[in-house]
């Protein structure tokens, strides 16, 4: 709901538009009014126009009536209704200044669209005049021949509803008109916005910049442009808007708070005691007196102001609308560029009259003029050694990275062959092309400030990449925070909070923007030392801080933590602010930060249970204070590095508990903390606090004054003799040396496994025609081939995932991709094992059933690949949006366990298939033992079924044991033996498939042996009788009803396995 200050805001606008509507207001006499207050002091006032003479006369009262048209298209209806109701209840007169009052405000007209069309209706006691009703078509009846209450269109003359007592009958039409004269005036309006809501100010700014000019005020007065020029703050600084500046004289007189250029500055250290305010930079001239002078003091009552905080605008990043009276030009940008020529440097090259210098200079001018829309000028500054480096500048009003890159390419194509210019780094997604050792600069997006840089290396890649782009909104807030005072904290913190929430995605991805927000919070913390922080202020502060601790910001914090203390400064600002909270007690709960300020009982032990994750125990003997402030951070591990006092670059430890900040209005030497561990797979807990002084101010975790008391049931209890920010560090239970040994075993085993799988596929390809004579044999070999293919591709992706995990900066999209394919193909391995089991069950139980080969293939591939695909896609779809798809606690590219339990999407299907196959084996073996092998199947399929039984009997327990051990590594991560056995079993799966799925099949061995014999016979004889259509001579003899598995090889039909 809007505040009553909205009425005050509109009253100021009334005065503004009133002064515009009445031409004589612009030509008021050059008279200064003087009043004598009761205390004898002078009450100064200020004329908005320059005066040539000042005299003192008796005050004259002027009464003016002004009309204001207010565009409320984007303002909520409840604010409009609130405004209308409060206009009637305001107590008049309203004091604007010592010489100006508003005596009354009435809402007269409301124009809007409804289903029947556009309507302009009068409020109560107001009507349209007769001529307006006639010329604009009335939508109700004309009363008494002179008025109506509704028009079907916007009034063409710009006049609105008038009091009904002032309306007369229609005047006689005017037949003559006198020539009109057009006057142009520029007026400066000063608005006091100290108590105005930032939201309403932004609405005003948007409305002003969105207007279509000219704006019709009356039939003789138009507003051609409105520009915001100046913002003055309570700390007596005044800043200019974009495209405006202070004159050199004002910069020197009042003192500049930024750099003075040749003719202007953008900020002065005082509110001018008389006009003008900031002027268009195109109207400013160079200083006539370069030496600075002390700030001049004006004592005349006619040229001083008593307004403590006055503004003519609110800072913005938006370009002002061009004015017909005060035209502005786009700002100039100077680009310092260079390129390198692979030739030997000579000092004569810098002779501006040399042919080479002229050639290069003219080429630069021509190319950049042709490629850049906002081109103003270009100039070759010098040629310097280092091969030969050409330094040049380009001045432009439009900075476009695409245009710059195109111009660079044109330079190379035009001068490259003549002066040996070539690109080494090519087609980088961000930096484009570059020469060796060239520092390539890329400018930020239009709504950002700063630039990105990188250096081109000889190997063709860019290194030392830096992204210093900061969102303009955040940069503007930083500028405001530098001049912030306590009274401005509520509005500022609300705006900061809203901006961080609206720009969350871009903020967390930008280290430079995060660093700027940390500096803003530091400025806020400094202001808080003189301003008590209440609950609303602290909530806005913590919600802003919570954005920076989100999981998406972790990568940006990793960049900042390499050589900066931003994370330490961030925690420090929160500690500072917690010292200046108001005396009342309150709770604040945000999505990631929880604050509790409460009382302490000094007669009993005090227990504070924070979100059931941290328990604080303070003995009664230590409670020499009456209040305690506790702040718990859910995700500060995304911000603070895990370095401790023993190592700056510690990559073993992990913050494994929530971070808790405790402050009391006293001292304490005995406190216990009980932390719930976040990742139960870690061990070796350390009780630590954040020491801001470690590593020359970078900060780090220190265990001084804290000791471990117990670790049990997922809870770590610490005892400390001081208060600050605490947490626990934990590390993997397996020593680093043993982890290297495990990795060594795994990689060697996976390599052996992949080699065995390749051999298996080659053998299947060689003997395929010889061993797939019947449907059962055919489907058995289809299953074993797909099992081998699935495991081989899964192993390949395992190697890729390991390489991604070993990178210092893990590529999350690439890691997620590797995890998806590892998950999918490992599941496919198990589902093809299930296909083999179901085939065995089908051919054993349903002896006389004959399913066609295409039907069996369709079912097998649907089950073998369709089911794994569905499971893998559902898993990533459910967990990836919450960034809980992959493991992030140990850097391994595999399914997450600690947060989302995504690993169950592999473990449950795999172990379920193991159980199903074991049950199938039991059923099949039971039937075979009761009725004999020859009774449960067709004779030609007996060997294939025996091989399937053997494969399932060996591979199913092996795979089940392997992944059962995998579950064991998660449930008992501290058991080194389980890790070693799992690494061995997991890496030898391919070898087991080769041995038990292929080499132990007698028919495959016989086919391989027979193929070798046939090859030998063909070498010794050229008789046509030694050849057959299949190329295998021993398949010529057909034998029936041969059940002896050791019989001589038969034809490809009956002897298939």
């Amino acid at each position: 709901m809007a505040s009553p200050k909205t009425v005050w805001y509109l009253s100021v606008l009334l005065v503004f538009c009133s002064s515009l509507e009445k031409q004589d207001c612009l030509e008021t006499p050059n008279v200064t009014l003087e009043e004598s207050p009761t205390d004898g002091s002078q009450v100064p006032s200020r004329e908005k126009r320059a005066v040539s003479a000042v005299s003192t006369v008796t005050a004259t009262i002027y009464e003016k009536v002004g009309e204001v048209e207010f565009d409320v298209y984007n303002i909520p209806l409840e604010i409009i209704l609130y405004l209308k109701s409060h206009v009637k209840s305001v107590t008049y007169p309203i004091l604007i200044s010592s010489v100006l009052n508003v005596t009354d405000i009435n809402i007269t007209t409301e124009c809007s669209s409804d289903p029947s069309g556009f309507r302009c209706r009068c409020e109560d006691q107001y009507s349209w005049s007769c001529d307006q009703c006639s010329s604009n078509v009335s939508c109700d009846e004309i009363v008494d021949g002179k008025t109506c209450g509704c028009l079907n269109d916007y009034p063409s003359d710009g006049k609105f509803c008038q009091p009904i007592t002032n309306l007369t009958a229609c005047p006689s039409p005017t037949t003559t008109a006198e020539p009109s004269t057009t006057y142009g005036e520029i007026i400066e309006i000063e608005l006091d916005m100290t108590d105005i809501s930032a939201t309403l100010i932004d609405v005003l700014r948007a409305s002003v910049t969105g207007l279509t000019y000219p704006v019709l005020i009356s039939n003789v007065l138009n507003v051609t442009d409105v520009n915001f020029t100046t913002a003055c703050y309570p700390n007596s600084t005044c800043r200019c808007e974009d495209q405006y500046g202070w004159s050199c004289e004002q910069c020197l007189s009042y003192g500049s708070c930024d750099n003075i250029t040749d003719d202007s500055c953008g900020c002065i250290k005082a509110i001018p005691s008389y006009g003008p305010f900031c002027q268009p930079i195109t109207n400013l001239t160079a200083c006539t007196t370069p030496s600075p002078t002390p700030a001049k003091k004006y004592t005349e009552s006619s040229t001083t102001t008593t307004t403590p905080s006055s503004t003519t605008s609110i800072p913005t990043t938006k370009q002002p609308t061009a004015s017909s009276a005060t035209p502005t030009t786009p700002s100039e940008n100077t680009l310092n560029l260079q390129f390198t020529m692979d030739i030997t440097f000579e000092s004569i090259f810098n002779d501006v009259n040399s042919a080479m210098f002229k050639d290069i200079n003219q080429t630069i001018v021509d190319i950049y003029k042709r490629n850049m829309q906002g081109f103003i000028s270009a100039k070759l500054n010098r040629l310097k050694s280092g091969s030969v480096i050409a330094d040049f500048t380009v001045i432009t009003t439009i900075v476009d990275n695409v245009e710059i890159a195109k111009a660079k390419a044109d330079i190379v194509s035009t001068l490259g062959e003549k002066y040996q210019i070539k690109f080494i780094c090519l087609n980088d997604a961000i930096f484009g092309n570059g020469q060796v050792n060239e520092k390539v600069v890329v400018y930020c997006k239009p709504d950002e400030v700063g630039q990105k840089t990188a250096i081109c290396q000889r190997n063709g890649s860019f290194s030392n990449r830096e992204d210093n782009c900061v969102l303009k909104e955040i940069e503007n807030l930083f500028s405001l925070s530098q001049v912030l005072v306590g009274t401005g904290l509520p509005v500022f913190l609300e705006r900061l909070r809203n901006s961080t929430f609206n720009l969350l995605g871009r903020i967390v991805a930008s280290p430079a923007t995060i660093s700027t927000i940390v500096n803003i919070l530091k400025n806020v913390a400094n202001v808080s030392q003189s301003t008590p922080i209440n609950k609303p202020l602290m909530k806005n502060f913590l919600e802003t801080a919570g954005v920076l601790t989100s999981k998406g910001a972790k990568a940006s914090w990793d960049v900042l933590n390499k050589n900066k203390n931003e994370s330490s400064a961030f925690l420090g600002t929160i500690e500072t602010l917690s010292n200046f909270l108001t005396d009342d007690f309150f709770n604040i709960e945000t999505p990631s930060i929880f604050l509790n300020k409460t009382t302490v009982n000094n007669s009993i032990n005090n227990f504070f249970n924070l979100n059931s994750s941290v328990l604080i125990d303070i003995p009664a003997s230590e409670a020499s204070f009456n209040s305690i402030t506790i702040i718990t951070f859910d995700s500060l591990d995304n911000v603070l590095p895990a370095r401790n006092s023993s190592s700056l670059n510690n990559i073993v430890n992990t913050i494994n508990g929530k971070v808790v900040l405790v402050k009391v209005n006293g001292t304490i030497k005995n406190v216990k903390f009980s932390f719930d561990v976040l990742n139960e797979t870690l061990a070796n807990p350390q009780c630590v606090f954040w020491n801001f002084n470690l590593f020359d101010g970078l900060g780090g975790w220190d265990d001084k004054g804290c000791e471990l008391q117990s670790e049990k049931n997922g809870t770590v209890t610490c005892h400390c003799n001081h208060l600050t920010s605490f947490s626990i560090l934990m590390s993997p239970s397996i020593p680093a040396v043993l982890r290297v040994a495990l990795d060594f075993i795994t990689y060697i085993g996976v390599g052996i496994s992949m080699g065995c799988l390749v051999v298996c596929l080659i053998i299947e390809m060689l003997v395929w025609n010889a061993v797939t004579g019947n449907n059962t044999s055919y489907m058995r070999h289809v299953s074993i081939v797909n099992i081998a293919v699935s495991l081989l591709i899964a192993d390949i992706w395992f190697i890729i995932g390991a390489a991604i995990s070993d990178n210092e900066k893990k590529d999350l999209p690439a890691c997620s991709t590797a995890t998806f394919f590892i998950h999918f193909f490992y599941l496919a391995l198990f589902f093809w094992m299930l296909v083999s089991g179901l085939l065995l069950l089908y051919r054993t139980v349903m002896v006389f059933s004959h399913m066609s080969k295409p039907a069996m293939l369709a079912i097998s591939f649907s089950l073998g690949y369709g089911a794994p695909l569905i499971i893998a896609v559902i898993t990533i779809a459910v967990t990836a949006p919450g960034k809980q798809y992959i493991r992030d606690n140990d850097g391994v590219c595999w399914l997450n366990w600690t947060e989302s339990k995504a690993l169950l999407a592999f473990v449950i299907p795999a172990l379920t298939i193991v159980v199903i196959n074991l049950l199938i084996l039991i059923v099949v073996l039971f039937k075979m033992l009761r009725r004999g092998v020859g009774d449960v199947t067709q004779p030609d399929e007996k060997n294939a079924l025996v091989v399937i039984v053997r494969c399932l009997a060996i591979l199913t327990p092996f795979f089940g044991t392997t992944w059962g051990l995998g579950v064991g590594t998660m449930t008992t991560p501290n058991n080194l033996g389980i890790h070693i056995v799992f690494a061995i079993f997991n890496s030898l799966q391919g070898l087991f498939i080769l041995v038990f799925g292929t080499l132990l099949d007698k028919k495959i061995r016989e086919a391989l042996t027979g193929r070798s014999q046939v090859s030998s016979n063909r070498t010794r004889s050229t008789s046509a009788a030694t050849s057959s259509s299949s190329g295998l001579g021993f398949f010529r003899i057909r034998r029936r009803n041969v059940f002896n598995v050791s019989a001589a090889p038969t034809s490809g039909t009956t002897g298939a396995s």
Side-chain angles (χ1 to χ4, degrees):
M1 183 61 69
S3 89
K5 294 296 182 181
T6 305
V7 179
W8 162 253
Y9 180 62
L10 285 180
S11 69
V12 175
L13 291 179
L14 276 170
V15 176
F16 166 47
C17 290
S18 174
S19 65
L20 287 175
E21 183 179 5
K22 300 296 182 178
Q23 182 67 32
D24 56 344
C25 283
L26 304 179
E27 302 298 334
T28 52
N30 296 332
V31 176
T32 300
L33 307 181
E34 184 177 85
E35 296 179 358
S36 300
T38 56
D39 59 0
S41 61
Q42 291 182 331
V43 180
S45 64
R46 181 172 64 191
E47 284 292 328
K48 298 301 180 185
R49 298 172 51 83
V51 296
S52 59
V54 177
S55 60
T56 301
V57 298
T58 304
T60 301
I61 297 177
Y62 297 90
E63 184 178 29
K64 302 293 181 182
V65 178
E67 290 182 342
V68 173
E69 178 183 358
F70 198 64
D71 184 1
V72 294
Y73 178 76
N74 291 319
I75 296 180
L77 178 61
E78 59 268 20
I79 294 182
I80 298 174
L81 297 177
Y82 181 87
L83 173 64
K84 292 174 68 174
S85 64
H86 277 72
V87 163
K88 300 177 181 179
S89 61
V90 172
T91 303
Y92 297 98
I94 299 174
L95 180 65
I96 301 298
S97 70
S98 59
V99 297
L100 180 62
N101 293 337
V102 174
T103 58
D104 198 10
I105 298 176
N106 291 315
I107 296 177
T108 66
T109 315
E110 180 178 341
C111 297
S112 62
S113 297
D114 56 34
S116 58
F118 189 81
R119 300 283 188 269
C120 281
R121 300 180 184 277
C122 296
E123 293 288 298
D124 190 28
Q125 299 301 313
Y126 287 84
S127 292
W128 296 105
S129 64
C130 176
D131 55 346
Q132 287 173 313
C133 297
S134 301
S135 60
N136 293 288
V137 185
S138 169
C139 47
D140 61 2
E141 295 182 358
I142 299 178
V143 180
D144 298 331
K146 62 179 182 180
T147 66
C148 62
C150 176
L151 296 183
N152 276 326
D153 199 358
Y154 194 85
S156 57
D157 59 1
K159 292 184 178 181
F160 297 101
C161 299
Q162 304 296 315
I164 56 178
T165 55
N166 296 351
L167 296 174
T168 59
C170 294
S172 301
T174 302
T175 57
T176 60
E178 296 182 0
S180 61
T181 303
T182 301
Y183 297 91
E185 296 288 345
I186 300 174
I187 301 175
E188 290 183 343
I189 304 296
E190 179 182 356
L191 304 179
D192 184 357
M193 297 185 174
T194 304
D195 297 322
I196 300 299
S197 168
T199 302
L200 289 178
I201 294 175
D202 290 339
V203 169
L204 173 63
R205 296 176 61 81
S207 299
V208 167
T209 55
L211 288 176
T212 301
Y213 296 98
V215 177
L216 182 66
I217 300 299
S218 71
N219 58 345
V220 296
L221 180 63
N222 293 337
V223 175
T224 59
D225 200 8
V226 178
N227 288 321
F228 290 88
T229 66
T230 316
C232 296
Y233 301 95
N235 65 344
S236 296
T237 60
C238 286
R239 293 182 177 273
C240 296
E241 291 282 277
D242 193 23
Q243 301 300 316
Y244 287 83
W246 295 105
S247 66
C248 184
E249 291 78 5
Q250 289 172 308
C251 297
L252 296 176
S253 298
Y254 297 108
S256 170
C257 43
D258 63 1
N259 295 327
I260 301 178
T261 61
D262 292 339
D263 52 12
S264 70
C265 62
C267 174
I268 59 175
K269 298 179 180 179
I271 299 176
S273 54
Y274 69 100
F277 290 105
C278 298
Q279 301 299 308
I281 55 177
T282 54
N283 296 353
L284 298 174
T285 57
C287 295
T288 55
T289 305
S291 58
T293 58
K296 185 177 180 180
K297 296 183 180 180
Y298 297 89
T299 57
E300 296 90 341
S301 60
S302 62
T303 57
T304 59
T305 178
T306 59
T307 305
S309 171
S310 61
T311 65
T312 60
S313 67
I314 295 297
T316 180
T317 60
K318 193 166 185 177
Q319 296 289 345
T321 306
S323 169
S324 59
T326 57
T328 60
T329 59
S331 60
E332 296 181 359
N333 300 280
T334 301
L335 311 181
N336 297 309
L337 305 173
Q338 64 176 220
F339 58 83
T340 302
M341 297 171 282
D342 191 13
I343 57 178
T344 303
F345 177 77
E346 297 180 17
S347 58
I348 195 174
F349 290 166
N350 277 313
D351 182 358
V352 296
N353 295 316
S354 68
M356 177 180 176
F357 194 97
K358 290 182 177 179
D359 181 27
I360 296 174
N361 182 73
Q362 189 59 46
T363 301
I364 291 172
V365 172
D366 293 342
I367 287 177
Y368 279 88
K369 184 176 182 179
R370 180 171 66 247
N371 284 284
M372 303 191 73
Q373 297 182 35
F375 177 85
I376 297 176
S377 65
K379 177 183 178 183
L380 174 63
N381 298 321
R382 61 169 179 163
L383 301 172
K384 61 183 181 181
S385 61
S387 293
V388 175
I389 300 175
D391 283 336
F392 62 99
T393 56
V394 176
I395 300 177
T396 178
T397 58
I398 302 174
V399 178
D400 188 311
N401 292 321
V402 175
E403 294 178 351
I404 295 173
K406 187 176 180 182
K408 284 178 59 177
D410 280 2
I411 289 286
V412 174
S413 62
T414 304
L415 300 176
E417 185 175 351
K418 184 188 298 186
Y419 298 114
Q420 299 300 306
I421 307 172
K422 61 181 179 180
F423 291 134
I424 299 299
C425 301
L426 299 173
N427 301 323
D428 185 85
I430 298 176
F431 296 98
N433 303 326
Q435 297 179 271
V436 174
N437 297 326
E438 177 188 3
K439 185 175 183 180
V440 179
V441 178
V442 174
Y443 295 88
C444 303
K445 297 177 181 178
D447 61 346
E448 297 175 340
V449 295
Q451 59 189 19
K452 300 177 182 179
T453 61
I455 298 177
C456 176
Q457 302 297 320
R458 292 187 178 275
N459 61 6
S461 63
F462 285 98
S463 65
N464 299 333
R465 295 171 180 254
E466 294 184 5
D467 183 351
N468 296 313
C469 294
V470 179
L471 292 168
K472 278 186 178 180
E473 170 65 10
I474 303 302
E475 183 67 21
N476 291 337
L477 287 170
F478 173 67
S479 299
L480 291 176
S481 72
Q482 292 181 299
V483 295
L484 187 64
V485 295
T487 55
L489 269 179
V491 172
F492 180 84
L493 284 176
E494 182 179 359
R495 179 177 173 184
L496 176 63
R497 181 260 183 202
N498 292 339
S499 296
T500 52
F501 269 72
N502 293 336
L503 300 169
L504 188 150
R506 298 181 63 184
I507 288 174
V508 299
S510 169
T513 302
I514 288 179
S515 178
T516 303
I517 294 179
V518 171
N519 290 329
I520 292 174
L521 297 181
K522 287 165 63 177
N523 291 335
V524 170
N526 292 335
V527 173
S528 71
Q529 299 180 27
S530 58
T531 303
I533 304 299
N534 56 25
K535 181 176 179 179
L537 293 179
M538 193 63 182
K539 184 174 183 181
N540 281 331
F541 184 93
L542 292 181
E543 287 181 340
T544 300
V547 170
L548 303 189
T549 67
S550 61
K551 191 173 183 179
K554 182 173 176 57
S556 296
W557 281 110
D558 290 342
V559 173
L560 293 173
N561 286 329
K562 288 182 178 179
N563 51 18
K564 296 182 179 180
N565 70 338
E566 303 295 69
S567 59
S568 189
F570 174 67
L571 180 59
T573 61
I574 300 176
E575 287 203 14
T576 300
L577 214 67
S578 65
N579 291 326
F580 301 102
L581 298 178
T582 54
D583 293 335
D584 50 332
F585 304 113
F586 50 80
N587 292 329
I588 298 176
E589 187 169 1
T590 72
S592 57
I593 303 176
F594 179 80
L595 181 146
N596 173 244
K597 184 179 181 186
T598 186
T599 58
V600 175
N601 192 326
N602 56 13
S603 60
I604 59 174
N605 287 1
N606 292 269
F607 293 92
F608 303 96
N609 191 358
L610 307 177
N611 291 342
S612 301
S613 59
V614 182
L615 178 65
I616 302 177
D617 179 9
I618 301 176
S621 58
E622 291 290 335
S624 59
F625 46 87
N626 54 22
S627 70
I628 182 171
T629 301
I630 304 171
I631 303 178
T632 308
F633 302 89
D634 281 352
S635 52
L636 204 60
D637 55 313
N638 295 322
V639 177
L640 297 174
R643 58 178 176 243
N644 59 13
S645 56
S646 61
S647 175
L648 175 61
N649 298 312
N650 193 307
I651 60 174
V652 177
N653 290 330
T654 299
I655 301 173
N656 203 29
K658 295 184 178 179
V659 178
V660 57
L661 165 63
V662 183
K663 287 286 186 178
V664 298
N665 57 347
T667 59
I668 190 171
K669 296 183 178 180
N670 183 10
V671 60
K672 289 183 181 179
F673 298 92
S674 294
F675 297 92
D676 287 349
V677 299
L678 303 178
N679 181 3
E680 296 184 5
T681 66
L682 300 178
N684 310 317
Q686 305 173 50
C687 298
V688 291
F689 72 96
W690 186 260
N691 188 337
F692 293 92
N693 298 319
L694 283 180
F695 306 114
D696 297 325
L698 280 179
W701 295 104
D702 196 351
D703 60 358
K704 185 177 181 180
C706 292
E707 60 182 17
L708 175 67
Q709 281 205 332
S710 65
E711 177 193 6
K712 58 183 179 180
N713 299 327
T715 300
V716 174
T717 300
C718 302
H719 175 268
C720 297
N721 59 15
H722 58 85
L723 292 180
T724 182
S725 298
F726 298 92
S727 190
I728 53 174
L729 296 181
M730 299 181 73
S731 59
S733 58
I734 301 176
V737 176
L738 292 179
R739 294 182 68 85
V740 172
L742 284 175
D743 291 341
F744 187 72
I745 294 172
T746 300
Y747 290 135
I748 291 179
V750 169
I752 295 173
S753 177
M754 293 172 65
C756 292
L757 292 169
V758 172
V759 172
C760 176
L761 293 174
I762 292 174
I763 291 174
E764 289 290 337
M765 180 180 63
L766 292 175
V767 302
W768 185 261
N769 290 333
V771 297
T772 57
N774 58 64
N775 286 355
T776 303
S777 298
Y778 182 85
M779 290 307 304
R780 190 203 73 89
H781 287 282
V782 167
S783 297
I784 202 69
V785 165
N786 281 282
I787 288 172
V789 169
S790 297
L791 183 57
L792 178 61
I793 299 177
D795 285 343
I796 292 172
W797 276 105
F798 173 82
I799 298 297
I800 295 173
I804 296 172
S805 301
D806 289 340
N807 285 338
E808 182 177 350
K809 184 178 180 180
K810 185 167 67 174
D811 188 335
L812 294 180
C815 190
S816 297
T817 302
T819 300
F820 175 83
F821 284 110
I822 294 172
H823 183 204
F824 170 69
F825 283 107
Y826 271 135
L827 279 178
L829 162 70
F830 278 92
F831 274 93
W832 277 105
M833 289 289 295
L834 178 61
V835 169
S836 295
L838 294 176
L839 174 65
L840 176 63
L841 182 65
Y842 168 69
R843 300 307 297 157
T844 303
V845 176
M846 306 178 68
V847 179
F848 300 104
S849 175
H850 296 283
M851 186 183 298
S852 66
K853 185 184 294 185
M856 296 174 69
L857 285 174
I859 294 173
S860 298
F861 276 89
S862 298
L863 183 60
Y865 291 120
L869 181 62
I870 292 173
I871 295 173
V873 169
I874 291 176
T875 303
I876 193 172
V878 171
T879 59
K883 298 185 177 180
Q884 296 179 341
Y885 179 58
I886 59 176
R887 298 167 64 169
D888 59 359
N889 56 340
D890 54 7
V892 177
C893 292
W894 186 223
L895 297 172
N896 185 287
W897 173 254
T898 55
E899 288 92 3
S900 65
K901 299 295 187 292
L903 186 57
L904 292 177
F906 171 73
V907 172
I908 292 177
L911 297 185
T912 301
I913 291 173
V914 169
V915 172
I916 293 174
N917 277 357
L918 289 176
L919 293 175
I920 290 174
L921 277 174
I922 294 172
V923 172
V924 171
L925 290 174
F926 179 75
K927 293 182 68 66
M928 285 183 172
L929 290 175
R930 285 192 60 185
R931 295 188 290 175
V933 178
D935 295 331
V936 296
T937 184
Q938 299 297 321
D940 293 344
E941 299 177 346
K942 181 190 63 175
N943 183 75
L945 295 180
V946 170
V947 174
I948 294 175
V949 170
R950 184 170 58 226
C951 285
L952 291 181
I954 295 173
L955 294 182
T956 296
F958 177 75
F959 288 153
T961 302
T962 299
W963 292 104
L965 290 169
V967 176
T969 60
M970 294 181 295
T971 57
T972 57
N974 301 331
N975 191 320
L976 180 61
I978 291 180
H979 281 275
I980 294 175
V981 176
F982 173 70
I984 296 173
F985 272 58
N986 187 46
S987 60
L988 297 180
Q989 293 177 102
L991 177 61
F992 274 62
I993 291 174
L994 173 64
V995 172
F996 296 105
T998 303
L999 296 182
L1000 290 183
D1001 187 344
K1002 185 176 181 180
K1003 294 299 180 182
I1004 292 178
R1005 296 201 308 274
E1006 289 176 349
L1008 288 173
T1009 304
R1011 187 180 183 88
S1012 176
Q1013 291 174 351
V1014 171
S1015 178
S1016 177
N1017 290 337
R1018 286 178 176 174
T1019 303
R1020 293 193 301 267
S1021 175
T1022 59
S1023 174
T1026 59
S1027 300
S1028 69
S1029 61
S1030 65
L1032 297 174
F1034 54 83
F1035 284 111
R1036 295 196 303 272
I1037 303 174
R1038 300 182 63 88
R1039 300 179 62 189
R1040 300 190 181 194
N1041 301 326
V1042 176
F1043 300 103
N1044 187 350
V1045 294
S1046 62
T1050 63
S1051 70
T1053 301
T1054 60
S1057 59

